[in-house]
Amino acid sequence: MSVKTPTVYDVAAQAGVSIATVSRVFRQPEAVREATRERVMAAVRELGYVPSASARGLAGRRTSVLGLLLPGHDDLEPGRSAPVRSGEVAFIDDRAAALTPTSPNLYFDELLRGVEVASWRAGYALTVTAGRGMSREMVLSDIAGRVDGLAVVARTLSDDLVSRTARRLPIVVLAGTGAGGVDHVEVDNRGGMRALSRHVLQVKPPGPVLYLEGPRQSPDAEARAAGFGEAVDGADEDVHRRPAEFTHEGGYAATADFLRVRRPGAVVAANDQSALGALDALRRVGVRVPTQCVVTGFDGIDAGRYANPSLTTVRQPMTALGERAVEVLLRRLGEPELPPCGLQLPVEVLLRDSCPPAD
Amino acid sequence: MSVKTPTVYDVAAQAGVSIATVSRVFRQPEAVREATRERVMAAVRELGYVPSASARGLAGRRTSVLGLLLPGHDDLEPGRSAPVRSGEVAFIDDRAAALTPTSPNLYFDELLRGVEVASWRAGYALTVTAGRGMSREMVLSDIAGRVDGLAVVARTLSDDLVSRTARRLPIVVLAGTGAGGVDHVEVDNRGGMRALSRHVLQVKPPGPVLYLEGPRQSPDAEARAAGFGEAVDGADEDVHRRPAEFTHEGGYAATADFLRVRRPGAVVAANDQSALGALDALRRVGVRVPTQCVVTGFDGIDAGRYANPSLTTVRQPMTALGERAVEVLLRRLGEPELPPCGLQLPVEVLLRDSCPPAD
DNA sequence: TTGAAAGCGCTAACAC
DNA sequence: GTGTTAGCGCTTTCAA
């Protein structure tokens, strides 16, 4: 730390070879005679030599780094723990917790793991950015200079910015339809909701079907609504669509509202959090799930597993999504001129207590 | 992409200035006359110039990158979605979901956000690694060459490896006690559990107290057990400690077991998942929460908010943890010779329905 | 199998 | 204010 960090020159001197040989020991060990190699490695260990990624990147014209650009959370206030003095413990009345919206970051963790694993496996490091504060342009031009390729979560960047950047740097868009001529990997929202909804129709007790659409102009919500539409289309069911925020509160309100007029035989929600809200609303008025009414969600968040009854849902393969994204990136890195590709990943329906298997 | 990426030389030529001026426009814009600056920026835009981080790093002897090393998940099998053909949707009977353990990754997401925000704010990019596959040594020496400082989640690396690396590179250990002479930032597990337990004793209905300890040799579990001990010490309570895995299943089993003999007036669990299991076990035998028995967890996972009744718990400020870690790193970057520091972050008790406020 | 030498693109003195 | 220049530490021909 305080001492000068050793370089190839130091290692070369110590081992009595040229810097080219030191480099070879790392890049193509088999091209160096065993004895020489061992002498070099000994020097490396003794000196604690670590190759500089910057120098490598500059000489090799590649950074060996991939980037992941997540949606920002500009509203995240820094250091919420400030008000409490060290050693003290604050008590907070949080009984209304379920009503407050959670951040939609729920599965970025999984996504990150997928991207990270695949990157590392391919010999790339991973740089993660959520770019807030400064403008998207600045964030983008910052990482653009650091990486060999970039995975961008849909709607993090404007379509225009994406396709402009894609001209200079391999880019893949995650969980969104391709922004026009750009590689993308998405999840089969429509097919998943269609399959789930068909199952619902098959097992539901009598009564109307309440569909909780997500917010307007969410591509996910749209695709799911389309899938639901395909499932109920032609079926002889009394279907009611209601907008509902993608939150517990949103699902609760929409369901409670509906309950004032009718008793549903099924509530199909476009995401898990609103489904959990629906579950709550039904419980309040004493409707039994799943015997009197089945309930389903979408996403596969953890809370659904622990809900009571546990929530039937469609699980998005976020880890796989991340891995595929990297594969697509690597493909383009290898063959820049390939036509843009779009990949759609299959989903899984998780049948749990709120809408159990048919038998 | 196909065309050669422009460099400072191209920009300089295009703008009719020297490369030094181009560099200045980016590093100290105020040192360049406005007219010149605009000429340069025009060239930058026209050419789509993006500074190379490698060249910068090499010339400036700093990468402007911070590293975050998360515990590996070596067991994560790649691409679980393979068996399903595209366009098809698999149905999985997942009714026992709550019983299977979740990965303990629950709050890495938050941690990441904290680290990311703070890094970016300080002008650093963030490289994330979970280092599996190859040995920790290799992972470490790979990122060591890429970053100016490193945040390591506790128990990801051996103490020895940490302190060895700390000699060459600023390191901060997260959520663990300092491995000896290394900066660290942790959470007040003991104080949090102590405060929560005191509250429990204050509001609990009559009956013994069941304490669900976590697994052996988890430092977190130990610290929490100590805090609980301090709270009940001297109190006139019938206390029963039981080991329980940090899973729903573990909490369920231990509680159900206890219920065969006694009826607790309180179940204090050392983590949220086991508390949710306890909640389930109590419900099965018809014990009312919180009127007949109060229940508490620890961690603040999302599922606790949606549980019924919602779970009283202690929330770990993971985002703040990440931010503090970066601050510590920056501090050491600035003054390498400072004595090692240890920071302990306060926690918050979230009072929810399973063990409500006193009044 | 090894070495010499020419960059890679940028920063930071220093000179003008 | 702006230009010149000497590296930063590594990879990679090309010779030996």
Side-chain angles (χ1 to χ4, degrees):
Chain A
M1 204 143 93
S2 40
V3 277
K4 182 186 164 299
T5 50
T7 72
V8 262
Y9 294 97
D10 303 314
V11 175
Q14 169 96 7
V17 299
S18 75
I19 61 163
T21 299
V22 176
S23 181
R24 282 195 199 97
V25 167
F26 283 89
R27 321 276 320 151
Q28 17 175 0
E30 66 290 350
V32 178
R33 196 197 307 149
E34 167 124 24
T36 316
R37 199 192 315 151
E38 280 176 359
R39 210 141 33 86
V40 171
M41 284 312 291
V44 165
R45 271 191 296 277
E46 188 167 335
L47 266 36
Y49 166 74
V50 171
S52 147
S54 297
R56 274 203 171 165
L58 182 54
R61 266 155 289 237
R62 60 196 294 264
T63 62
S64 295
V65 176
L66 259 28
L68 174 60
L69 187 49
L70 300 171
H73 35 157
D74 306 66
D75 36 20
L76 194 68
E77 67 270 36
R80 273 100 42 85
S81 63
V84 183
R85 287 206 307 274
S86 180
E88 296 201 5
V89 177
F91 281 73
I92 295 171
D93 186 344
D94 198 41
R95 281 174 289 184
L99 300 184
T100 60
T102 29
S103 50
N105 300 344
L106 300 154
Y107 29 64
F108 289 159
D109 199 353
E110 271 184 78
L111 178 66
L112 173 69
R113 305 309 270 221
V115 173
E116 202 275 329
V117 170
S119 301
W120 200 263
R121 203 187 291 139
Y124 286 84
L126 178 68
T127 286
V128 176
T129 302
R132 332 118 300 293
M134 50 191 83
S135 72
R136 302 292 185 231
E137 272 87 354
M138 300 214 63
V139 175
L140 198 55
S141 87
D142 183 295
I143 38 160
R146 306 181 172 279
V147 303
D148 292 334
L150 192 58
V152 181
V153 172
R155 304 204 295 147
T156 300
L157 257 35
S158 70
D159 285 6
D160 176 56
L161 202 49
V162 167
S163 46
R164 206 140 31 93
T165 311
R167 282 206 292 274
R168 313 213 128 275
L169 188 75
I171 284 204
V172 56
V173 173
L174 290 179
T177 56
V182 177
D183 294 336
H184 70 280
V185 184
E186 59 178 325
V187 148
D188 188 10
N189 279 298
R190 191 165 56 128
M193 184 56 98
R194 190 199 311 124
L196 174 63
S197 302
R198 285 193 179 136
H199 170 74
V200 167
L201 298 189
Q202 199 182 321
V203 303
K204 70 179 272 295
V209 177
L210 173 61
Y211 182 73
L212 302 181
E213 312 180 315
R216 307 286 174 200
Q217 83 224 120
S218 148
D220 283 352
E222 254 176 56
R224 292 170 195 174
F228 174 75
E230 290 172 20
V232 297
D233 196 37
D236 183 26
E237 292 282 352
D238 183 17
V239 172
H240 301 258
R241 295 167 184 260
R242 294 281 183 281
E245 285 304 302
F246 268 170
T247 61
H248 185 284
E249 168 85 272
Y252 182 90
T255 307
D257 205 54
F258 187 79
L259 282 166
R260 275 193 268 286
V261 196
R262 303 283 304 275
R263 282 234 161 172
V267 180
V268 176
N271 92 329
D272 280 349
Q273 292 179 56
S274 52
L276 292 172
L279 230 34
D280 247 7
L282 292 166
R283 178 171 27 232
R284 294 287 157 101
V285 300
V287 174
R288 299 242 166 235
V289 176
T291 42
Q292 299 178 293
C293 175
V294 297
V295 175
T296 63
F298 204 110
D299 280 346
I301 68 173
D302 222 56
R305 302 172 14 138
Y306 297 109
N308 186 21
S310 60
L311 185 67
T312 288
T313 190
V314 176
R315 186 181 146 66
Q316 304 203 51
M318 296 307 284
T319 304
L321 187 69
E323 295 183 280
R324 294 297 155 279
V326 171
E327 285 164 18
V328 168
L329 224 37
L330 294 172
R331 199 186 63 119
R332 183 152 304 282
L333 236 21
E335 302 199 46
E337 302 305 345
L338 248 36
C341 81
L343 213 59
Q344 192 176 60
L345 301 190
V347 295
E348 296 170 344
V349 173
L350 300 183
L351 297 172
R352 299 205 277 234
D353 296 320
S354 73
C355 182
D359 50 333
Chain B
M1 208 142 89
S2 40
V3 276
K4 181 186 163 301
T5 49
T7 72
V8 262
Y9 294 96
D10 303 314
V11 175
Q14 169 95 11
V17 298
S18 75
I19 60 164
T21 299
V22 176
S23 181
R24 282 194 202 98
V25 167
F26 283 90
R27 320 277 315 156
Q28 17 174 358
E30 67 290 350
V32 178
R33 198 196 307 148
E34 167 124 26
T36 318
R37 199 193 314 153
E38 280 175 0
R39 211 141 32 87
V40 171
M41 284 313 292
V44 165
R45 271 191 296 276
E46 189 165 335
L47 266 36
Y49 166 74
V50 171
S52 148
S54 298
R56 274 199 171 169
L58 184 54
R61 265 159 289 240
R62 60 195 293 264
T63 61
S64 296
V65 176
L66 259 27
L68 174 61
L69 186 49
L70 300 172
H73 37 157
D74 306 67
D75 33 22
L76 194 69
E77 67 270 34
R80 273 99 44 81
S81 63
V84 183
R85 288 205 306 274
S86 181
E88 295 201 5
V89 177
F91 281 73
I92 294 172
D93 186 344
D94 197 41
R95 281 175 290 184
L99 301 183
T100 60
T102 29
S103 52
N105 299 346
L106 300 154
Y107 29 63
F108 289 160
D109 198 354
E110 270 184 80
L111 179 66
L112 173 70
R113 304 311 270 221
V115 173
E116 202 275 330
V117 171
S119 300
W120 199 265
R121 203 186 293 140
Y124 286 85
L126 178 69
T127 286
V128 176
T129 302
R132 332 118 300 290
M134 51 191 82
S135 71
R136 302 291 184 230
E137 273 87 355
M138 300 213 63
V139 174
L140 199 54
S141 85
D142 184 296
I143 37 158
R146 304 181 173 280
V147 303
D148 292 335
L150 191 58
V152 181
V153 172
R155 305 206 292 148
T156 300
L157 255 36
S158 70
D159 286 4
D160 176 56
L161 202 51
V162 167
S163 44
R164 206 142 29 93
T165 310
R167 283 206 290 274
R168 312 213 127 279
L169 189 73
I171 284 203
V172 56
V173 174
L174 291 178
T177 55
V182 177
D183 294 336
H184 71 279
V185 184
E186 59 179 324
V187 149
D188 187 10
N189 279 297
R190 191 165 56 129
M193 185 56 99
R194 190 199 312 128
L196 173 63
S197 302
R198 286 193 178 138
H199 171 74
V200 167
L201 298 189
Q202 199 182 321
V203 303
K204 69 179 271 294
V209 177
L210 173 61
Y211 182 72
L212 302 181
E213 312 180 315
R216 305 288 175 198
Q217 84 223 121
S218 149
D220 283 353
E222 252 175 59
R224 292 170 196 174
F228 175 75
E230 291 172 16
V232 298
D233 196 39
D236 183 27
E237 292 282 351
D238 184 18
V239 173
H240 301 258
R241 293 166 185 261
R242 294 279 183 281
E245 285 303 301
F246 268 170
T247 61
H248 185 286
E249 169 85 272
Y252 182 89
T255 307
D257 206 54
F258 187 80
L259 282 167
R260 275 194 270 286
V261 196
R262 304 283 302 275
R263 284 234 159 171
V267 180
V268 176
N271 92 328
D272 281 348
Q273 293 179 53
S274 52
L276 292 171
L279 232 32
D280 247 6
L282 292 166
R283 175 169 32 233
R284 294 288 156 101
V285 300
V287 174
R288 299 243 166 236
V289 176
T291 42
Q292 300 178 292
C293 176
V294 297
V295 175
T296 64
F298 203 109
D299 280 347
I301 69 174
D302 223 54
R305 304 174 10 142
Y306 297 109
N308 186 22
S310 59
L311 185 65
T312 288
T313 190
V314 176
R315 184 179 149 68
Q316 304 202 50
M318 297 307 285
T319 304
L321 188 68
E323 295 183 281
R324 293 298 156 277
V326 171
E327 285 165 18
V328 168
L329 224 36
L330 295 172
R331 198 186 63 118
R332 183 154 303 282
L333 237 22
E335 302 198 46
E337 302 307 345
L338 248 36
C341 81
L343 213 60
Q344 192 176 60
L345 300 190
V347 296
E348 295 170 345
V349 173
L350 300 184
L351 297 172
R352 298 203 278 234
D353 296 320
S354 73
C355 182
D359 48 334

